[in-house]
Amino acid sequence: MAYGAAMSEAAVDLPDERDAIRRALIEWYEDDHREYPWRETDDPYAILVSEVMSQQTQLDRVVDAWDDFLERWPTVGDLAATDRSDVVAFWSAHSLGYNNRAKYLHEAATQVVEEYDGEFPESPDGLSELMGVGPYTANAVASFAFNNGDAVVDTNVKRVLYRAFSIPDEDAAFEDVANALMPDGESRVWNNAIMELGGVACEKTPRCDEVGCPWREWCDAYETGDFTAPDVPTQPSFEGSRRQMRGRVIGALKEHENLTLDELGPKVRVDYAPEGEYGREWLRNLLEDLADDGLVEIEERSDQPIARLR
DNA sequence: TTCCGGTAAG
DNA sequence: CTTACCGGAA
């Protein structure tokens, strides 16, 4: 065990303790946990949709969007057959942010249909081939759809392991320990349980006693009172950001379909002025980036370019 | 104003 | 390796 020295010895070095730790978490999860509709299905397509939405949005806000999405595109074939711009427009209308992810999801659906004969791969490695599916999502879908994943390592899991077993803040260490802890062949319940623990008990502000954390007797942080969490990179404010302006462009084009620069500009910035600092040149630049991302298309006209969703 | 976060791309 | 990407809630 490469990180044994840094870990409380109870966690992995002593098999009896490790089994008790495993049982305690699974019992705690099965006794009571939040209900989400995607926890009621093993359809990999439905689960992928929920995971992509959950990457960016608090779970409670995902439920309605997930229901609507699956009602509109019930199968991976339905999604692959639709226009990408419809998916981006849906994403924007449901305030899901990160329009790129709508594009990735549509692309992934196309891959499943064209390259996998409509059947999802069942292994993490296979799932990783799909656009927008990284290590976390691959293991999540493999686990929840097929009970066939490795341990998921998201920021919740990192925070739990860092606190409970003093795991160093290094990706390889988290991955090793997470996998050592997970019982063989139980990725579905285990990954649900450990993320639930991070989500409702081991939050930034911990609630160990309130929710009856099952790991209190083994937890380093509970013993020492030091609930420091791994650093998460802080990000620049959203207000006035380029991301906000991109979102406004998508929103305006969803509503109007075709717009010239000067029609679009005022819908993006109230201070838009064709020749100003935030004018045609600035907007053109923003649109070029969106076009490079495949979200928008620009049609050159003799007078002014026209933009539309792609 | 800060928090929240997995993936792709440079 | 770093950076861009979204919007709603606390």
Side-chain angles (χ1 to χ4, degrees):
Chain A
M1 171 50 57
Y3 303 91
M7 205 178 335
S8 76
E9 65 181 56
V12 170
D13 292 350
L14 304 176
D16 289 350
E17 291 294 285
R18 189 189 62 184
D19 288 346
I21 288 169
R22 290 171 167 176
R23 275 198 309 275
L25 177 58
I26 291 175
E27 277 173 28
W28 172 84
Y29 175 75
E30 289 184 336
D31 179 58
D32 183 39
H33 57 79
R34 296 169 297 178
E35 303 281 352
Y36 292 108
W38 47 87
R39 284 180 170 169
E40 317 276 311
T41 179
D42 59 3
D43 173 6
Y45 166 68
I47 288 167
L48 177 63
V49 173
S50 81
E51 289 301 334
V52 172
M53 290 180 173
S54 306
Q55 286 169 10
Q56 58 196 55
T57 305
Q58 284 81 356
L59 291 186
D60 290 325
R61 288 199 292 131
V62 167
V63 176
D64 287 343
W66 186 80
D67 282 338
D68 290 353
F69 194 99
L70 290 174
E71 189 175 338
R72 181 144 174 204
W73 298 292
T75 70
V76 68
D78 296 322
L79 183 60
T82 200
D83 286 338
R84 178 203 283 170
S85 58
D86 290 339
V87 188
V88 173
F90 175 99
W91 216 256
S92 175
H94 287 73
S95 301
L96 288 167
Y98 296 118
N99 294 294
N100 262 328
R101 297 205 212 275
K103 187 187 72 174
Y104 295 156
L105 196 49
H106 179 253
E107 174 68 22
T110 304
Q111 285 176 276
V112 170
V113 168
E114 291 184 358
E115 296 170 28
Y116 295 88
D117 206 24
E119 298 291 328
F120 274 77
E122 299 190 8
S123 69
D125 280 351
L127 288 158
S128 297
E129 298 297 313
L130 302 178
M131 182 61 78
V133 175
Y136 165 78
T137 308
N139 281 313
V141 175
S143 297
F144 304 146
F146 305 113
N147 193 31
N148 187 40
D150 295 320
V152 295
V153 179
D154 68 353
T155 57
N156 282 325
V157 172
K158 287 182 183 175
R159 190 171 57 249
V160 168
L161 297 178
Y162 182 89
R163 285 174 173 168
F165 307 124
S166 305
I167 305 306
D169 186 1
E170 296 161 20
D171 288 348
F174 289 128
E175 191 182 322
D176 285 356
V177 173
N179 278 307
L181 221 40
M182 187 178 85
D184 282 346
E186 299 201 61
S187 61
R188 179 181 283 134
V189 65
W190 180 262
N191 284 323
N192 267 316
I194 196 166
M195 288 197 288
E196 185 78 357
L197 189 67
V200 307
C202 203
E203 301 171 76
K204 186 160 201 100
T205 306
R207 304 172 60 223
C208 321
D209 295 328
E210 297 93 308
V211 302
C213 175
W215 282 0
R216 282 171 290 180
E217 63 186 282
W218 298 287
C219 178
D220 292 347
Y222 192 74
E223 185 180 335
T224 64
D226 177 4
F227 286 91
T228 308
D231 284 332
V232 291
T234 169
Q235 71 172 277
S237 82
F238 179 66
E239 195 57 34
S241 69
R242 192 171 178 83
R243 303 195 308 289
Q244 184 181 42
M245 302 308 148
R246 284 171 56 107
R248 286 183 185 166
V249 169
I250 300 294
L253 293 177
K254 174 171 66 71
E255 202 166 337
H256 298 283
E257 188 144 16
N258 289 295
L259 292 173
T260 65
L261 291 184
D262 288 349
E263 289 166 339
L264 179 59
K267 300 179 189 302
V268 177
R269 296 189 67 111
V270 288
D271 58 349
Y272 177 84
E275 307 300 335
E277 183 185 359
Y278 296 107
R280 284 176 193 153
E281 193 181 330
W282 172 83
L283 183 57
R284 174 71 194 227
N285 188 281
L286 190 67
L287 286 168
E288 301 276 11
D289 282 356
L290 283 161
D292 287 345
D293 286 343
L295 296 168
V296 159
E297 89 191 340
I298 304 170
E299 184 192 336
E300 302 300 340
R301 292 277 177 88
S302 53
D303 47 347
Q304 263 203 50
I306 305 284
R308 73 177 68 86
L309 286 184
R310 184 176 153 212

